[in-house]
DNA sequence: CGCCTGACTTGCGTTTTGCGTAGTCAGGGT
DNA sequence: ACCCTGACTACGCAAAACGCAAGTCAGGCG
């Protein structure tokens, strides 16, 4: 699959487009091993600090720091909670933005499953039927987007402001 | 969307599962800003060294180093080519593994588009109809996978070897 | 034959990321 | 009143990632 740039975009230096590119803005988060691991664990339902540390293998300091940035970035919220007959604790839960990150993780999983030869023994399956989960590229009109069907377009300034 | 761990996976420390997890193996590549940028440019059709440098804003040394690892990781190949009346040059082109990376980029783009408030003016659209491109999670049987429909399963050792 | 250009490499400093270890701190249980 | 535990913070250090600047090298042009 390739992406076609239209019009003047094709020739332009992308440097100045920097924060106009949604990939670049999103990958600021992914560009750290720790955040991917933490988001993975959070998607698995992990909520407590200690569990994040234990299950990711990250150190406490890294975990604390990255959880904090994930909270300030709006992917998680830190909430007080209380188990019966226990004192009050804090838990980290995914926000909507955090939940929306899961397709990225699944896309990574799908790629890793296909292209990394070493046998991973974890697979993501559909709870309903047990078949492997895949990410499919479609457009808002429901068409399946094929290999050369993606165009990168420059949004007009007006629409960008209101969108 | 959340991922449900089954059986003993739920309790297990994931540390030892390390290279069993396809997300972790795939994110070794993504965990660098430079690789994401280079793969993005390559998906846009960039092939020449200088263009990678100019369009990503990375330094030459970083570009050279990361292109090399992308080649050894099997996401790109370095091929000689010759423009008419020019001397022989080298170009970097995506392999199948590299092309298969595009859905990850689109998933990132889709997330960035939705959850980063600053107006990005770049959008990915379906060349056929102009509608925005989205990534959809489906299972191999074609069912749309909903919010709580993903299960993480442990593959048996036999199947893992042949799969 | 010397110069230019594209494609790198080399060297150096800075920042970020991460590990390891130790210390803190608040709330509950005993 | 004291201890324990979960949830951190605070060093100090190593490695990786990135930037800046300069140097190299091969092939073609004039």
């Amino acid at each position: 699959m390739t992406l076609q740039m239209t019009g003047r975009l094709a020739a332009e230096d992308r440097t100045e487009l920097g924060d106009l590119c949604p990939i670049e803005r999103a990958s600021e988060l992914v560009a750290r091993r720790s955040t991917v691991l933490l988001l993975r664990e959070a998607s698995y339902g992990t909520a407590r600090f200690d569990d994040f540390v234990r299950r990711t293998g990250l150190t406490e300091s890294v975990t604390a720091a990255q959880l904090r940035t994930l909270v300030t970035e709006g992917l998680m919220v830190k909430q007080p909670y209380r188990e019966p007959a226990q004192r009050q604790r804090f838990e980290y839960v995914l926000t909507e933005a955090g939940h929306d990150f899961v397709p990225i993780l699944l896309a990574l999983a799908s790629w890793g499953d296909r292209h990394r030869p070493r046998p991973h023994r974890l697979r993501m399956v559909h709870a309903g039927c047990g078949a492997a989960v895949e990410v499919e590229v479609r457009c808002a009109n429901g068409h399946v987007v094929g290999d050369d069907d993606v165009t990168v377009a420059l949004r007009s300034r007006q629409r960008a402001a209101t969108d």
Side-chain angles (χ1 to χ4, degrees), chain A:
Chain A
M1 191 174 284
T2 44
L3 310 175
Q4 307 293 325
M5 301 290 262
T6 59
R8 29 183 268 262
L9 280 177
E12 210 154 357
D13 288 4
R14 254 77 96 188
T15 318
E16 300 137 36
L17 291 178
D19 60 296
L20 299 183
C21 172
I23 297 177
E24 199 155 341
R25 308 258 301 123
S27 67
E28 286 166 17
L29 290 170
V30 198
R32 276 173 295 245
R33 194 173 67 98
S34 52
T35 35
V36 177
L37 293 178
L38 289 171
L39 286 170
R40 181 195 66 182
E41 286 308 320
S43 305
Y44 287 164
T46 301
R48 284 177 40 187
F49 184 84
D50 257 35
D51 288 335
F52 279 115
V53 171
R54 201 163 39 83
R55 293 180 177 161
T56 59
L58 296 169
T59 58
E60 296 175 356
S61 43
V62 171
T63 306
Q66 296 303 328
L67 282 177
R68 213 178 306 135
T69 76
L70 284 171
V71 168
T72 62
E73 293 285 345
L75 295 179
M76 289 188 182
V77 280
K78 184 180 176 181
Q79 298 181 334
Y81 78 108
R82 171 182 296 265
E83 283 177 6
Q86 289 284 319
R87 81 194 219 213
Q88 171 176 312
R89 297 268 157 67
F90 290 95
E91 62 178 353
Y92 295 88
V93 281
L94 292 174
T95 60
E96 200 198 329
H99 282 295
D100 284 352
F101 207 87
V102 173
I104 298 171
L105 296 176
L106 292 175
L108 287 170
S110 172
W111 187 92
D113 204 41
R114 190 172 323 173
H115 293 291
R116 293 286 93 144
R118 265 189 261 174
H120 335 276
R121 298 185 46 233
L122 256 42
R123 47 184 348 202
M124 319 299 173
V125 297
H126 181 204
C129 68
V133 163
E134 293 161 2
V135 280
E136 219 177 71
V137 181
R138 288 188 176 246
C139 76
N141 290 341
H143 303 131
V144 174
V145 175
D147 270 10
D148 289 311
D149 291 345
V150 183
T151 306
V152 183
L154 198 54
R155 205 189 299 229
S156 76
R157 203 171 288 275
Q158 290 77 13
R159 296 207 43 205
T162 57
D163 259 3

